[in-house]
């Protein structure tokens, strides 16, 4: 009924976006449970995405709002939908409205494009525009507060996945890092970061191979926060990924006094892993990552 041609033709942009977003949520829940209906198996998915793409190409204008565009990109990422006939016009429309996007919409759009591997030349201008919008917001204290920890970690993950380079990318990474460090230095700000977000920040930093003081300060602040918490709430994936990323970045390596101090992180991580239940259900890769870090 949802993809009835008559209904699709009359559907408003918000209704199309909501339908796609709902399928993305169903896919997310199906993956988390490991069972249930998989929307990607439906032959009707292409009809819905085709209607969205057609609306975006409408001569009279698509009239999608920023939230509808970012939600649609997010849904495509969750559904693993990579057809450029939809992704490119969707991304271009999002970039055109980037100045009107809020922190979540910019972050979700970048994260989705990163998750979908939109690294080709056709997406370059889109990515530059979205990164520029994020950077401008982060440079204004009142606007930077709107970025939640998840938004900040997702921007870094997107930059790592897209392997963004150049002056603007460096400035954006430094701005995100500075904002994270600022928050991690206060108890209330640090508590807002979930273990998954702390782990994702470290993974992104390792992949980006950033140089500069802000990157070092962020890695140290995230590491210190994990120890402060005693790694409470860290599941096997978060703990092992954090350890692996820090080891790959050379955290605690060498014979300096700083390295000796940093190496205490691994002792704390090992102690946490030994607690009953912390590594319960760990996958072989997670054990391998943790042991690699401890051996390093």
């Amino acid at each position: 009924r949802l993809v009835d041609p008559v209904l699709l033709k009359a559907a408003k942009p918000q209704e199309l976006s909501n339908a796609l977003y709902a399928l993305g949520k169903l896919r997310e829940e199906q993956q988390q449970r490991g069972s249930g209906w998989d929307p990607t198996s439906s032959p009707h998915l292409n009809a819905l995405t085709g209607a969205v793409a057609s609306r975006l190409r409408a001569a009279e204008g698509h009239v999608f709002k920023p939230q509808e565009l970012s939600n649609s990109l997010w849904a495509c990422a969750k559904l693993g939908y990579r057809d450029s006939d939809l992704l490119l016009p969707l991304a271009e429309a999002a970039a055109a409205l980037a100045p009107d996007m809020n922190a979540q919409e910019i972050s979700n759009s970048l994260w989705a494009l990163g998750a979908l591997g939109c690294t080709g030349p056709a997406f370059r201008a889109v990515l530059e525009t979205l990164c520029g919008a994020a950077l401008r917001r982060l440079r204004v204290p009142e606007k930077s507060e709107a970025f939640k920890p998840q938004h900040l970690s997702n921007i870094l993950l997107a930059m790592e996945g897209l392997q963004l380079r150049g002056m603007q990318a460096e400035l954006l990474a430094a701005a995100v890092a500075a904002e994270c460090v600022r928050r991690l230095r206060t108890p209330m700000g640090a508590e807002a970061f979930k273990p998954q977000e702390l782990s994702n920040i470290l993974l992104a930093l390792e992949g980006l191979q950033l140089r500069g003081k802000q990157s070092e300060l962020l890695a140290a602040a995230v590491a210190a926060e994990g120890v402060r918490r005693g790694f409470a709430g860290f599941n096997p994936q978060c703990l092992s990924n954090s350890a692996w990323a820090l080891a790959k970045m050379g955290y605690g390596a060498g014979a300096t006094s700083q390295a000796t101090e940093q190496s205490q992180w691994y002792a704390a991580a090992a102690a946490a892993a030994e607690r009953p239940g912390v590594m319960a259900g760990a996958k072989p890769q997670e054990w391998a990552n943790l042991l690699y870090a401890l051996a390093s």
Side-chain angles (χ1 to χ4, degrees):
R1 183 80 177 113
L2 180 65
V3 293
D4 181 287
V6 176
L7 281 179
L8 282 180
K9 187 175 181 180
K12 298 175 182 177
Q14 183 178 3
E15 294 163 345
L16 294 172
S17 171
N18 286 351
L20 198 57
Y21 181 80
L23 292 179
K25 289 295 289 184
L26 285 170
R27 173 63 168 163
E28 182 181 51
E29 292 169 5
Q30 185 263 340
Q31 289 181 314
Q32 289 172 349
R33 292 196 308 266
S35 63
W37 180 62
D38 181 0
T40 62
S41 66
S42 172
H44 301 305
L45 178 60
N46 285 337
L48 177 58
T49 56
V52 175
S54 178
R55 192 64 58 86
L56 287 166
R57 292 192 296 266
E60 65 275 13
H62 58 72
V63 301
F64 279 83
K65 295 177 181 177
Q67 184 181 24
E68 295 158 3
L69 294 168
S70 67
N71 281 354
S72 296
L73 282 170
W74 180 92
C76 286
K78 288 296 181 179
L79 293 164
Y81 193 87
R82 292 178 166 81
D83 191 332
S84 60
D85 286 343
L86 172 62
L87 281 184
L88 187 55
L90 193 56
E92 288 174 341
L97 294 181
D100 301 321
M101 283 186 166
N102 61 31
Q104 181 177 7
E105 291 158 358
I106 294 171
S107 167
N108 282 356
S109 297
L110 281 171
W111 174 85
L113 293 171
L116 291 165
C118 298
T119 58
F123 290 93
R124 189 170 300 141
V126 167
L127 296 172
E128 289 178 357
T129 299
L130 289 170
C131 286
L135 180 57
R136 283 190 294 275
R137 283 187 164 274
L138 284 164
R139 283 175 165 171
V140 180
E142 296 79 11
K143 293 184 177 181
S144 66
E145 287 291 343
F147 286 90
K148 295 180 180 179
Q150 184 182 25
H151 303 155
L152 297 168
S153 66
N154 278 352
I155 289 174
L156 288 176
L157 277 180
M159 294 182 70
E160 190 276 328
L162 294 164
Q163 286 298 296
L164 298 180
R165 295 291 184 265
M167 180 61 71
Q168 180 177 255
E170 290 180 12
L171 291 172
L172 176 56
V176 173
E179 183 63 21
C180 288
V181 169
R182 183 185 70 79
R183 297 186 190 190
L184 286 166
R185 284 175 171 167
T186 67
M188 185 177 295
E191 282 293 337
F193 285 81
K194 297 177 182 177
Q196 183 72 59
E197 292 154 3
L198 295 172
S199 173
N200 284 349
I201 287 171
L202 292 176
L203 282 176
L205 288 177
E206 190 284 323
L208 285 167
Q209 295 292 303
L210 297 172
R211 298 175 183 174
K213 194 66 176 175
Q214 287 297 347
S215 177
E216 293 178 13
L217 288 173
L218 179 54
V222 172
E225 180 59 18
V227 173
R228 187 193 69 79
R229 297 183 186 188
F231 299 99
F234 280 66
N235 61 25
Q237 183 184 47
C238 292
L239 183 60
S240 63
N241 281 351
S242 297
W244 178 87
L246 284 171
K248 291 288 286 184
M249 286 189 283
Y251 190 81
T256 65
S257 58
Q258 183 186 42
T260 301
E261 183 179 346
Q262 291 175 344
S263 66
Q264 296 173 9
W265 186 95
Y266 300 99
E274 290 175 352
R275 291 201 301 265
V278 172
M279 293 297 287
K283 298 176 182 178
Q285 185 63 59
E286 291 160 355
W287 279 114
N289 285 351
L290 181 59
L291 293 172
Y292 167 85
L294 295 178
S296 299

